[in-house]
Structures are given as structure tokens and as C-alpha cells.
Amino acid sequence: MGVGMQITYLGFAGSARIEAEAGAQLVRLERFREYLSGCHLAVEAIRNGPFHGKPAGLLYDARLDLITRTNDLIAVEHCLNEDPGIALRAAFDAAERRLEQTLRRQRS
């Protein structure tokens, strides 16, 4: 049984491109399937005012909550970027690091 994922979009309707990227990134967590039962991904569009001479625009905040097989929740750090794909990849990078650390501690 694989790792399931629920996606929530905040501040925008989402897109097929973001869902495809999220699905591709979820594959990276499959190696933790004996430990994880699922994850919740939230992608939020945040209006960004002018900053250091750059015009106003959007930032995307991607964050993951991982659910273990024992129903514990592991919150992963927020990842911000102007490109939602980069924010997603960074969130899954952080999730992998967090899971590796957690499992290393449990084995010690």
C-alpha cells in the first residue's frame, strides 16, 4: 500500500501542473511507506508587496504534514518561492530530510 496525499489550495484554484508536480514528488516518499500512511500538502498563494525594488507579485507557500502509521503528525517546514514547482520540490526535500532524521533517531 502506497503513501496517500491530500492537496489543499489556499488563495487560488490550483492547477493541473501543480497536481502533476505534487504527484511526481510524492513518489520520493514511497520508500518510507512502511512508516507513513499519508500526507497533507497545502499550497497557498500569498500576495507579495513591492520588495527591494521588485514589483508586487505572488509567492507560493508549500507545506507538508506527514501522517505516520501510528497516526502521529510530523509538520514539515514551510517553503516559499515565486514558482510553485520550486516550492513543492523544496517541501518534499525537507520532508525527506525530516523522515531520514526521525528514522535514524528511532534506530539508535
Side-chain angles (χ1 to χ4, degrees):
M1 189 169 13
V3 177
M5 179 171 56
Q6 222 174 27
I7 303 174
T8 302
Y9 298 105
L10 304 163
F12 72 115
S15 72
R17 182 177 79 99
I18 292 173
E19 288 197 25
E21 182 67 35
Q25 295 301 315
L26 180 63
V27 171
R28 297 168 55 185
L29 300 184
E30 283 297 317
R31 66 188 174 115
F32 301 102
R33 70 183 167 276
E34 290 180 16
Y35 182 70
L36 289 180
S37 62
C39 68
H40 297 154
L41 170 64
V43 183
E44 182 175 6
I46 300 169
R47 301 243 177 266
N48 185 26
F51 186 70
H52 291 284
K54 292 177 85 174
L58 282 178
L59 284 177
Y60 292 91
D61 177 15
R63 54 194 179 268
L64 280 168
D65 290 326
L66 306 172
I67 300 112
T68 69
R69 296 251 177 235
T70 57
N71 288 322
D72 291 323
L73 185 70
I74 301 171
V76 179
E77 65 195 64
H78 291 231
C79 297
L80 284 169
N81 199 285
E82 293 170 347
D83 181 323
I86 293 171
L88 282 176
R89 286 188 293 278
F92 279 89
D93 287 345
E96 276 189 304
R97 283 191 306 271
R98 182 76 186 272
L99 286 165
E100 288 166 350
Q101 290 169 353
T102 300
L103 292 174
R104 210 173 13 250
R105 270 185 297 217
Q106 286 183 353
R107 292 181 188 130
S108 298

